Amino acid sequence: MIQRDGYTAGDKLPTEAELVELLGVGRNTVREALRILMSRNIVTIRQGSGTFISDKNGVSDDPLGFAMIEDRRKLDPPIAALAAQNATGEDIRQLENILLGLEEQMILREDYADKDSQFHAQIANCSHNLVMTNLVPVITDGVRVFAGAVQETEYEQ
C-alpha cells in the first residue's frame, strides 16, 4: 500500500482503525505489521499524532556495524585507495577544503561531527563508484554512530 499509493517521507498513514477497514485484516495484524515496519525504519509512530513514513527509507541506523568496530583506521584505507585512483582535481580541492575546516574545528575543540561526515562523504564521492555514492548516507550515519561509541575522542588521537 505504501508503494502503490506513493507515500513518501513525512506522509501520515491512515489510523489503525482505517487500516483494518482498508486492508480487510484484524487489528492485531495491523499492529504487528506497523511494529515490523517501525523496526525496519520504514515508518515512525508518534504517540498521539499517528504513523508517518520515515525519512530513513528503511535503512538501519548502523547497517554496516560500525559501532562494533574497535579501530576506525581500518575503515578508511580501501575507500581512500579507490578515491585516490579516481578523484579529479576538483574532487581533491573540495576534499582539501573540507579537511581544513575539520582540522580547524578540532583545534578549536568545536563539535566537528558534521564536518567529519562531510569529509568521509567526499572521500566516497571521489571514488566515482556508483555503489559508494549510494552508500554515502549510510556511511555518514555509520561514522556518526562509530564516533559516538569510541572511548577516546579524535582530539586525543
Side-chain angles (χ1 to χ4, degrees):
M1 181 187 91
I2 291 170
Q3 290 175 328
R4 181 192 68 221
D5 294 350
Y7 284 92
T8 60
D11 288 348
K12 185 175 180 178
L13 290 179
T15 65
E16 281 185 13
E18 291 169 333
L19 287 171
V20 166
E21 186 69 29
L22 282 169
L23 301 173
V25 297
R27 187 175 210 96
N28 286 338
T29 301
V30 168
R31 286 183 176 168
E32 182 61 21
L34 290 174
R35 273 194 289 275
I36 290 169
L37 291 172
M38 187 175 74
S39 73
R40 295 181 181 169
N41 284 333
I42 295 170
V43 301
T44 56
I45 299 173
R46 298 183 205 139
Q47 294 299 324
S49 296
T51 303
F52 299 84
I53 302 298
S54 173
D55 60 356
K56 294 184 179 182
N57 296 318
V59 175
S60 164
D61 289 333
D62 187 21
L64 301 177
F66 287 152
M68 301 303 290
I69 297 173
E70 289 183 33
D71 186 357
R72 178 183 182 165
R73 290 169 286 210
K74 292 179 181 177
L75 296 174
D76 293 330
I79 297 170
L82 191 58
Q85 291 171 352
N86 297 321
T88 66
E90 178 59 27
D91 292 334
I92 293 169
R93 279 189 288 285
Q94 288 179 16
L95 188 61
E96 287 174 334
N97 287 336
I98 295 167
L99 179 59
L100 290 172
L102 174 61
E103 289 174 340
E104 182 179 334
Q105 287 181 315
M106 291 176 79
I107 289 167
L108 297 172
R109 301 218 178 228
E110 296 176 350
D111 180 9
Y112 58 88
D114 286 340
K115 195 60 84 173
D116 188 56
S117 293
Q118 283 180 343
F119 178 74
H120 287 87
Q122 182 60 18
I123 290 173
N125 288 334
C126 286
S127 74
H128 290 274
N129 178 293
L130 182 59
V131 173
M132 291 306 305
T133 302
N134 289 339
L135 283 175
V136 166
V138 176
I139 291 169
T140 301
D141 289 343
V143 168
R144 282 196 181 115
V145 168
F146 182 86
V150 295
Q151 298 287 327
E152 179 182 28
T153 68
E154 288 193 35
Y155 298 132
E156 284 75 34
Q157 293 177 14

